[in-house]
Amino acid sequence: MVKLAILARLEAKPGKEQDVADFLKSALPLVMEEAGTINWFALQIGPSTFGIFDTFETQEGRAAHLGGEIAKALMANAPDLLAVDPVLEMVDLLAVK
């Protein structure tokens, strides 16, 4: 049962909005290889605001994701793509359908 999540908020630099969207779309094959990541959603909240929401059954799965290939790629590209550092929130899920 999923009980943990990460909510990441990303703010694109002006003119980099499509690059951020493309980066998020390109990350799907990487997350497909993460057995501990149960659900992974890349989303656009506003014109320059994006997010990632992922769910996990265990702390180990969440930790593996935080140290995984998507996180590494995001941090490597953040200076070029993002206006500010990503905001990561560790979430405890209270109810899931």
Side-chain angles (χ1 to χ4, degrees):
M1 177 176 129
V2 294
K3 55 187 174 184
L4 304 169
I6 301 171
L7 176 59
R9 192 173 180 98
L10 312 171
E11 189 65 33
K13 283 184 175 180
K16 295 289 186 169
E17 297 85 359
Q18 188 60 52
D19 293 334
V20 172
D22 292 342
F23 171 82
L24 291 173
K25 291 175 187 176
S26 75
L28 185 58
L30 295 174
V31 78
M32 295 300 288
E33 297 188 21
E34 295 181 358
T37 302
I38 306 304
N39 297 296
W40 184 84
F41 303 91
L43 43 122
Q44 187 164 4
I45 300 166
S48 63
T49 305
F50 297 83
I52 301 170
F53 184 77
D54 12 49
T55 66
F56 311 89
E57 294 177 339
T58 66
Q59 290 283 5
E60 294 80 13
R62 183 161 67 179
H65 179 72
L66 285 169
E69 295 305 313
I70 294 173
K72 290 175 188 172
L74 178 60
M75 296 317 293
N77 288 284
D80 182 49
L81 297 177
L82 303 180
V84 296
D85 288 339
V87 176
L88 301 177
E89 297 182 69
M90 301 303 116
V91 178
D92 291 327
L93 299 173
L94 301 176
V96 177
K97 177 182 177 199

